Amino acid sequence: MEFRHLRYFVDIAEEQSFTRAASRLHVAQPALSRHMRNLEQELGVKLFRRHARGAEPTAAGRILYSTSISLAAS
């Protein structure tokens, strides 16, 4: 896992939208989606439920998010 992928994940979780996170990160939305699909494949779990109004973290996504935030605060 690359640090960049974790940063992307955190921004998507906070924005609850791939489009808003892409804008915040100054990256193309399709590239951001591809990075998240690759991270999900690497971890073997779905991190987001994607829907018409955005994306919400799955149970695994919430665990990764809380762990990421805890590590960043250390």
Side-chain angles (χ1 to χ4, degrees):
M1 175 187 322
E2 294 180 33
F3 177 75
R4 168 178 54 142
H5 294 156
L6 194 54
R7 170 66 194 272
Y8 290 173
F9 165 78
V10 168
D11 282 1
I12 296 166
E14 289 178 351
E15 292 291 339
Q16 295 197 359
S17 166
F18 279 76
T19 303
R20 287 191 303 267
S23 177
R24 178 175 166 179
L25 291 161
H26 306 288
V27 297
Q29 186 273 326
L32 184 60
S33 293
R34 188 173 51 254
H35 284 294
M36 282 304 99
R37 276 194 308 274
N38 292 343
L39 181 59
E40 288 173 330
Q41 288 177 344
E42 183 180 336
L43 297 175
V45 296
K46 286 288 183 188
L47 298 172
F48 293 100
R49 276 187 212 95
R50 293 151 174 89
H51 47 80
R53 294 190 177 210
E56 64 180 288
T58 61
R62 288 190 299 272
I63 291 168
L64 181 58
Y65 179 78
S66 64
T67 302
S68 300
I69 297 304
S70 295
L71 290 174
S74 298

